[in-house]
Amino acid sequence: MTSRLPSFPVYTTENYPAQGRLFGDFLCGLWTTACDALELPQDQSAWATRMLRAVLPTWTNERIGYTPARPSYVAGDGFPAEMSVNWSGRHPELRILFDSLGDDRAPFPPAVTGITGTADRLEGIHEIFGPRAGRPSPAPLWHSFAWRPPSHVVHKTYFGLYAWPHSLRYSAVDEAMARLGMTDAWNDARDRVENADGTREIEFFAVDLIDEAAARVKIYYRNHGADIAEMNRIAGTALHHDTEDALVAYRTLAGDRTDAGEAALSCLAFRPGRNRATESTTYLRLADLTAGDQEAVDRTSTLLRSENVDPGRFRALATALAPGPLEDCRGTLELVSYRAAGRSGDVTTYFRFPVYEQPAPRLLPAVDLARHHRKDDLAQRHRKEPTMTHQDVERIARYNEERQREYESSALIRLLADENTDMATKKAALTYLQPWSNAFQRMISARVTFETDPDLRALALTHQQEEVGHDAILARSRAEDERLVWDPVIEAGASWFVDQFAVLPGVQRAVLAHLALEAGSLVLSQAGIRAFPGDPYFALHDEADAEHLEMGYQVLRRRTDWTVDDLLTVLDRAWQVITVVSDRIAECAQRETGFAAA
């Protein structure tokens, strides 16, 4: 399983040379590489590879580019898949997890799984996590393909809840557990978790696609700022958990740190007929807890050896999957999980593949370097924590206000505000504004999905909750025109914003959302009110956008992890894109009606 993108860059010295290859070929090639490293029989590996290729989603028929066309939450660079290996038992279990990226057809029907009833079971759960009951979007759907030779393949499905407000996550999980007859066990676990110390949130709901009697349901929590002891207490929620063994394992992975690192995960597993969570698994992010892949592999090898597992095949696998020498890489071995439920060697290692260009490494303040145990010369430098002055914030505000005034002279704003523009052209502008309004929902969802900082994520969720449904209000305002238009310039501008929300640092994401998008929306709504007095869409935005704009300045006043030059660059690019899109909307409206502006 996986967790949210790290807030500091995780990078390697080199990336996989995957550009131009088909996703499916690349993933199956990695699978074959792993099978060879694990010394699995070639005929069995070939069979499993064919099975894997048969269930991969349609996006795997596309070619890999230099940036993700649809960034995924699976990996830090937006790549939509990861590989993992569980080391318990006589033979390791090899797994690959992949994002459906909107391909929601069931890849594991009974004909593939060999298990009857799984399709009906999944369909009943799937509809719970769909776009209904005020939820901002359907839960992203992930699938896992797992094989422990010589056994059959096992399939699992995950629903990502990370983009939803907390109340909606809990209501959906409540409904799903009730439908599965696990309400008592869920209520018990929820009481135990919520009465524990610390802060955490539900991120995933998962189901095994196997026989009903043996099928597990898993609920994943992401922990904020947890220490090792707290992770052990959460794991102790489960019926089967050895706190002493678990504590030793966690300390082995964490080294001399007492905290659990960034984005540590807790997974509680539920089984039919039990009134309590049966097992728990704890996931620690080795990309944070170690200086690089070599140290991560060494610590994991120590843990495997203590669990009576020869680490030789694990080391061979890590070496084979890394894009370069282990001592030069970081983030390939991303996560390691441990389950203390009486089964020796229940350790799982999670590998990420650096395909896309990562953000350049940023120099962190000395306090952060110490916290993350960076073992390089930078840790020896004495640097002061950067401070942002009132003048820095004012400089950003002045620049942004200048861009707002420039935007007031753009073609779209002039078209709407000009009394000489005929009403047909103004209404046509709304038609072409609709796809931009629809895309805005994707933008704010992407911001929530990729944000890891607790404070900034809380702000992003608040922003998302207050914006949900605004595209529908616009659609109702232009109910007499039911056309759904598409334009390449508008879509390209929207895609740029979605991409930026996936890759920018947290404060820059906030600036993009509040100081650019909301400031532009405020100017647009003021012009829209003049063109359409009393229109609910523009009236709502005229009131809300000013408040949302101020949220951005509040972030700058209380944060120190930004520079003036970086924010000016982000704002300049954002305003250019907003203006290009707006000019295109005006151009399309005028072309449609034949109106020529004075």
Side-chain angles (χ1 to χ4, degrees):
M1 204 39 226
T2 185
S3 64
R4 194 169 312 281
L5 306 181
S7 59
F8 58 90
V10 173
Y11 57 94
T12 60
T13 57
E14 55 184 295
N15 287 16
Y16 275 94
Q19 280 68 34
R21 297 183 61 186
L22 295 176
F23 279 98
D25 291 345
F26 178 65
L27 293 176
C28 289
L30 289 170
W31 180 271
T32 301
T33 297
C35 289
D36 291 343
L38 295 173
E39 301 176 346
L40 302 179
Q42 189 170 8
D43 58 335
Q44 295 184 34
S45 299
W47 169 82
T49 304
R50 290 194 299 273
M51 294 288 288
L52 170 63
R53 190 178 287 276
V55 300
L56 288 175
T58 54
W59 58 260
T60 59
N61 297 321
E62 301 171 6
R63 296 194 181 276
I64 300 173
Y66 288 93
T67 58
R70 289 158 292 181
S72 173
Y73 173 77
V74 173
D77 66 345
F79 190 71
E82 70 173 14
M83 182 177 288
S84 60
V85 177
N86 177 269
W87 298 95
S88 62
R90 289 185 57 193
H91 302 286
E93 181 180 77
L94 179 60
R95 311 164 179 170
I96 191 163
L97 178 140
F98 51 87
D99 194 331
S100 70
L101 291 179
D103 181 3
D104 291 342
R105 61 191 175 87
F108 307 137
V112 173
T113 64
I115 306 297
T116 59
T118 58
D120 292 341
R121 182 169 183 261
L122 181 59
E123 183 178 354
I125 299 302
H126 194 290
E127 67 181 26
I128 294 173
F129 296 100
R132 63 188 182 98
R135 291 165 191 153
S137 60
L141 189 63
W142 296 1
H143 299 289
S144 176
F145 176 95
W147 175 54
R148 190 186 300 275
S151 302
H152 293 295
V153 168
V154 174
H155 308 285
K156 308 168 188 179
T157 291
Y158 301 82
F159 299 91
L161 311 183
Y162 41 82
W164 291 2
H166 288 244
S167 60
L168 295 184
R169 303 184 203 185
Y170 277 101
S171 64
V173 172
D174 288 346
E175 185 177 352
M177 293 299 273
R179 182 170 297 194
L180 294 167
M182 296 181 176
T183 295
D184 290 344
W186 165 233
N187 287 341
D188 174 83
R190 184 171 176 177
D191 287 343
R192 293 172 185 269
V193 169
E194 292 184 358
N195 287 326
D197 295 335
T199 304
R200 60 199 57 82
E201 57 182 307
I202 296 177
E203 289 208 332
F204 291 93
F205 184 92
V207 292
D208 290 346
L209 301 185
I210 59 177
D211 281 320
E212 192 93 16
R216 295 176 305 166
V217 172
K218 296 179 290 183
I219 296 174
Y220 291 79
Y221 287 92
R222 183 164 70 102
N223 297 273
H224 299 287
D227 60 19
I228 294 299
E230 182 182 330
M231 297 299 295
N232 205 10
R233 286 193 294 272
I234 296 300
T237 297
L239 181 63
H240 305 296
H241 179 71
D242 188 318
T243 56
E244 293 184 4
D245 286 353
L247 191 58
V248 171
Y250 304 160
R251 286 173 174 166
T252 300
L253 295 174
D256 57 358
R257 285 170 60 172
T258 59
D259 68 292
E262 184 184 22
L265 279 171
S266 300
C267 172
L268 299 178
F270 301 81
R271 295 182 184 273
R274 303 293 183 90
N275 59 4
R276 183 174 171 183
T278 53
E279 301 102 23
S280 61
T281 304
T282 297
Y283 300 72
L284 300 181
R285 186 179 297 281
L286 272 292
D288 177 22
L289 292 167
T290 64
D293 280 334
Q294 185 64 67
E295 185 178 10
V297 168
D298 290 344
R299 290 189 191 176
T300 306
S301 297
T302 300
L303 175 58
L304 288 170
R305 192 176 292 109
S306 71
E307 292 284 314
N308 299 316
V309 176
D310 183 348
R313 283 192 291 181
F314 161 68
R315 286 186 174 275
L317 177 65
T319 300
L321 293 179
L326 287 174
E327 60 269 20
D328 295 333
C329 295
R330 181 163 180 263
T332 308
L333 178 57
E334 174 73 7
L335 295 164
V336 175
S337 73
Y338 182 78
R339 178 168 51 188
R343 187 179 186 183
S344 180
D346 210 344
V347 177
T348 304
T349 50
Y350 296 79
F351 298 92
R352 301 279 175 77
F353 311 111
V355 170
Y356 302 116
E357 291 296 328
Q358 297 279 352
R362 293 182 291 114
L363 297 181
L364 301 177
V367 63
D368 287 338
L369 287 166
R371 185 171 71 84
H372 292 298
H373 285 214
R374 301 289 188 263
K375 296 182 178 179
D376 53 28
D377 291 339
L378 287 175
Q380 306 304 320
R381 299 180 186 177
H382 299 287
R383 301 173 59 215
K384 292 183 179 180
E385 189 78 35
T387 57
M388 297 299 118
T389 66
H390 176 73
Q391 288 77 12
D392 292 325
V393 178
E394 284 300 308
R395 182 179 171 190
I396 298 296
R398 286 196 303 272
Y399 177 83
N400 208 49
E401 289 165 1
E402 290 174 6
R403 299 307 296 264
Q404 281 181 268
R405 286 193 292 272
E406 292 176 7
Y407 182 56
E408 290 172 356
S409 300
S410 68
L412 176 61
I413 304 305
R414 286 188 286 108
L415 181 149
L416 291 174
D418 191 343
E419 295 179 356
N420 295 319
T421 305
D422 63 50
M423 185 53 65
T425 303
K426 292 181 179 181
K427 289 184 176 180
L430 299 188
T431 299
Y432 289 92
L433 179 63
Q434 185 72 58
W436 178 254
S437 180
N438 296 345
F440 188 84
Q441 299 294 317
R442 299 203 306 272
M443 299 176 204
I444 59 176
S445 293
R447 179 189 175 195
V448 172
T449 295
F450 291 101
E451 185 54 75
T452 62
D453 182 284
D455 291 336
L456 294 177
R457 191 166 190 278
L459 177 64
L461 280 167
T462 298
H463 186 204
Q464 182 187 51
Q465 292 166 16
E466 294 178 357
E467 291 287 347
V468 167
H470 287 196
D471 54 333
I473 296 173
L474 175 60
R476 289 194 294 271
S477 294
R478 42 176 292 271
E480 71 279 2
D481 181 3
E482 297 181 352
R483 290 178 299 157
L484 296 176
V485 298
W486 183 89
D487 180 81
V489 176
I490 298 172
E491 289 299 320
S495 296
W496 182 85
F497 273 99
V498 171
D499 181 64
Q500 295 306 297
F501 281 123
V503 300
L504 288 178
V507 172
Q508 293 185 35
R509 286 194 189 101
V511 164
L512 197 67
H514 297 284
L515 271 61
L517 284 172
E518 290 293 352
S521 182
L522 180 60
V523 174
L524 177 62
S525 63
Q526 291 169 347
I529 287 175
R530 294 181 62 182
F532 302 96
D535 182 274
Y537 177 77
F538 292 114
L540 173 64
H541 277 260
D542 187 42
E543 178 181 347
D545 291 343
E547 179 182 346
H548 291 162
L549 175 60
E550 177 57 26
M551 287 178 177
Y553 291 119
Q554 290 174 0
V555 169
L556 299 187
R557 294 185 191 107
R558 68 174 183 263
R559 303 281 297 210
T560 61
D561 49 339
W562 58 275
T563 67
V564 171
D565 288 343
D566 286 343
L567 296 195
L568 291 180
T569 298
V570 169
L571 285 170
D572 175 63
R573 293 173 179 174
W575 279 111
Q576 288 188 59
V577 174
I578 290 170
T579 302
V580 167
V581 169
S582 298
D583 288 348
R584 181 65 170 184
I585 292 172
E587 176 189 346
C588 291
Q590 290 177 272
R591 183 179 61 209
E592 180 172 306
T593 63
F595 176 79

